[in-house]
Amino acid sequence: MAHSLATTDNEFEAATHPTTLGVLVFVLRYEDLCAADSVALPPLTHDGAGFEIGRASEVRPPAMEGRTFLLPDRFVSRVHARVVRRDGKGFLEDAGSKFGTFVRGERIQGPVPLADGDVVEMGQSLFVYRLVDEPTAVRMITQRAGVAFGPTRTLCPELMSLVLDLARLSRSDQPILVLAETGAGKEVVARYVHDKSGRAGPFVAVDCGAIPEHLVEGELFGHRRGAFSGAHEERKGRIRSAEGGTVFLDEIGNLPGSAQASLLRAIQENEVTPVGADRGQTVDVRWIAATNVDVFSERSAFRADLRERLAGYVAMLPPLRKRREDLGFLVAHLLRRRGIERASITKPAARALFFGDLPGNVREIERTLGSASLLMGDGPIDLRHLSALRARAASKTEEPESEPQGAEVMDEARRNKKRPPRERIEAALFRAQGCQVDAARLLGVHDRQLARWMDAYGIPRSRKGTSGG
């Protein structure tokens, strides 16, 4: 029996809103990575609100029809699962589907409460569940396909709020400090602000960590002819080159202390003094800085006065593992940029790529897809095409001190009743190149025990024989 669903904006506004609302976001389908058809499903506004998820009868973009979200996924059952709100919490229950419903990598048996950030898998389709405040829920229901952000779009609640703030700040001269992990997209933030600013001058990016210390001031502020050995001509420097535009100081946390005082004066006075000059020159630039270093720490060597000048607004850019709902947009963009209009990925490869910690963030996805797209040929992206992930998994998987043999293997399997995390099992399969016997040996269990664990996590069985070569 289908549960009721507030499907219209009027119903949404009329509902009695709790502090937080649950929103399930459809991210991508493994069979069509270039579709970029991610969408937010209607929020669960009150107890009893809910909807079903099932298979569409034809290939078309995923969409709500009545109280059912229809997916063009041949591995999804006609009525696959139900999402419902009970006692103030969102629950997911499988509707007797053929291939099962998975939450956090485990196949569910009954109604399962959903937590913020939970990864949900049905057939060959990936979802992420988010808990959001009421204003964000309103934004997500009115902009179900996300908001534009740089070359892609975003459905991440935190990033949607950040984009709204940046758009409001863009036409001011307010300095912006972007805090984010390496590879998370700091330059995308800076370019977004510059593009929205309406400033006529250029966008000039400076990698503060890549300039040798003895060249920093000359690179930033320029130099006069003859200022030092080899200065055969005058140079404007990066800051004056951005006149009328934006200076993006990337990895500002790596700027040598000797240059921090000069940069502080330039920001305070809107003036730079080229190396070898005895007077400053006025500049008109917008300042945006970014770092993956904690410049707010008391132990930081970064000047507090420079930090305060740069931190007119602090933009906290979430890492990719905290915004998996954007993977559909990002993957489609990265593949299409390489001229690929159609690509698919096997379920084991998708789980390895999309479910992990993603320590390299967007840059990691870009590198991984770059090599995989060259190796996949006419087939789907598979585990063997994800060389970087295999290497990292191999480094994390420890060899057992001694390999159990014969009866010892069976004893170990009986003793080891606790199932290891899915990531460790997949890491062993990576290292064993898909061979279950070798992977079981790495985990110190019998291959039948490994097969049971794989079934419990929904990991497809691979070849059982030992790897050759």
Side-chain angles (χ1 to χ4, degrees):
M1 178 179 178
H3 299 284
S4 62
L5 169 68
T7 56
T8 70
D9 293 351
N10 290 336
E11 286 177 291
F12 179 84
E13 292 170 1
T16 301
H17 300 306
T19 303
T20 58
L21 301 174
V23 179
L24 188 65
V25 178
F26 164 71
V27 180
L28 54 79
R29 288 179 295 117
Y30 302 158
E31 290 192 303
D32 189 1
L33 295 179
C34 296
D37 50 9
S38 306
V39 65
L41 280 62
L44 302 178
T45 58
H46 56 270
D47 281 358
F51 52 86
E52 295 179 338
I53 298 174
R55 184 180 67 247
S57 59
E58 58 185 353
V59 177
R60 29 149 273 192
M64 289 294 303
E65 286 193 5
R67 294 184 173 88
T68 304
F69 182 68
L70 294 176
L71 281 165
D73 184 335
R74 58 197 174 97
F75 294 97
V76 166
S77 298
R78 188 179 63 81
V79 178
H80 193 101
R82 298 184 182 92
V83 184
V84 64
R85 183 181 176 92
R86 299 191 189 110
D87 300 322
K89 295 181 180 180
F91 285 81
L92 177 67
E93 55 185 342
D94 187 80
S97 66
K98 181 178 180 180
F99 295 106
T101 302
F102 298 81
V103 177
R104 298 180 294 275
E106 293 201 48
R107 185 167 185 167
I108 63 174
Q109 301 300 324
V112 173
L114 294 171
D116 186 47
D118 275 352
V119 177
V120 176
E121 191 181 50
M122 303 179 202
Q124 300 265 338
S125 297
L126 180 66
F127 298 79
V128 173
Y129 185 75
R130 296 304 313 268
L131 287 174
V132 299
D133 59 26
E134 296 173 30
T136 304
V138 172
R139 191 177 304 124
M140 294 182 78
I141 198 172
T142 55
Q143 297 178 299
R144 289 191 173 107
V147 299
F149 176 57
T152 64
R153 304 181 67 80
T154 180
L155 276 163
C156 169
E158 295 83 1
L159 191 50
M160 290 176 78
S161 297
L162 175 59
V163 169
L164 182 62
D165 285 350
L166 294 174
R168 289 170 175 166
L169 290 166
S170 61
R171 289 192 173 270
S172 72
D173 292 328
Q174 188 84 334
I176 295 174
L177 177 61
V178 184
L179 302 181
E181 295 180 2
T182 298
K186 296 185 285 291
E187 186 167 341
V188 175
V189 172
R191 287 189 179 275
Y192 177 84
V193 173
H194 174 72
D195 292 343
K196 292 283 186 180
S197 71
R199 297 184 69 92
F203 176 89
V204 176
V206 182
D207 186 346
C208 298
I211 308 172
E213 184 171 356
H214 66 286
L215 297 178
V216 169
E217 296 205 21
E219 188 70 21
L220 290 178
F221 311 124
H223 59 74
R224 298 290 299 274
R225 180 180 178 184
F228 50 84
S229 177
H232 302 303
E233 57 184 19
E234 182 174 344
R235 286 194 61 187
K236 293 175 65 174
R238 307 302 294 277
I239 293 175
R240 281 195 291 160
S241 296
E243 177 66 25
T246 301
V247 174
F248 173 50
L249 300 166
D250 196 11
E251 303 304 346
I252 188 73
N254 295 325
L255 190 70
S258 58
Q260 291 182 26
S262 299
L263 180 60
L264 173 63
R265 183 177 183 278
I267 296 173
Q268 286 177 326
E269 307 296 333
N270 288 322
E271 183 179 276
V272 298
T273 303
V275 177
D278 51 13
R279 69 172 63 181
Q281 299 187 22
T282 302
V283 292
D284 172 24
V285 297
R286 170 71 171 275
W287 300 96
I288 302 179
T291 182
N292 63 352
V293 175
D294 185 3
V295 295
F296 286 88
S297 169
E298 293 181 359
R299 297 186 298 274
S300 173
F302 197 78
R303 291 181 62 123
D305 49 2
L306 176 56
R307 179 194 67 213
E308 295 309 314
R309 281 287 176 180
L310 292 169
Y313 174 84
V314 179
M316 306 283 289
L317 182 62
L320 189 53
R321 64 182 174 276
K322 297 291 187 180
R323 46 179 288 226
R324 294 181 206 269
E325 50 268 49
D326 288 347
L327 281 168
F329 296 133
L330 287 169
V331 168
H333 167 69
L334 295 171
L335 288 171
R336 286 175 176 173
R337 198 166 68 180
R338 291 181 167 271
I340 297 171
E341 295 297 328
R342 181 78 182 181
S344 61
I345 187 169
T346 64
K347 184 174 283 192
R351 288 173 171 174
L353 184 58
F354 302 140
F355 286 25
D357 291 338
L358 300 168
N361 292 293
V362 178
R363 194 172 297 152
E364 175 178 340
I365 291 286
E366 182 175 17
R367 286 196 304 262
T368 303
L369 288 176
S371 58
S373 63
L374 295 173
L375 297 171
M376 67 181 185
D378 295 330
I381 296 172
D382 201 359
L383 283 175
R384 67 183 184 276
H385 303 139
L386 308 180
S387 58
L389 297 187
R390 287 207 312 272
R392 187 164 66 236
S395 69
K396 289 183 178 180
T397 305
E398 298 179 356
E399 290 276 5
E401 293 183 4
S402 60
E403 291 187 2
Q405 300 292 331
E408 295 178 11
V409 173
M410 298 299 293
D411 290 341
E412 174 66 17
R414 281 191 288 266
R415 287 196 302 271
N416 190 1
K417 297 295 185 183
K418 185 176 180 180
R419 190 166 67 229
R422 176 182 52 78
E423 290 80 5
R424 186 167 177 236
I425 293 174
E426 290 189 335
L429 289 166
F430 267 139
R431 191 170 184 181
Q433 298 183 351
C435 174
Q436 288 177 212
V437 171
D438 291 348
R441 188 177 298 117
L442 290 172
L443 294 168
V445 299
H446 196 282
D447 64 300
R448 286 198 294 272
Q449 176 67 67
L450 173 59
R452 285 192 288 270
W453 287 342
M454 291 172 68
D455 289 344
Y457 281 126
I459 301 174
R461 301 278 193 95
S462 53
R463 59 193 178 87
K464 192 173 180 181
T466 54
S467 54

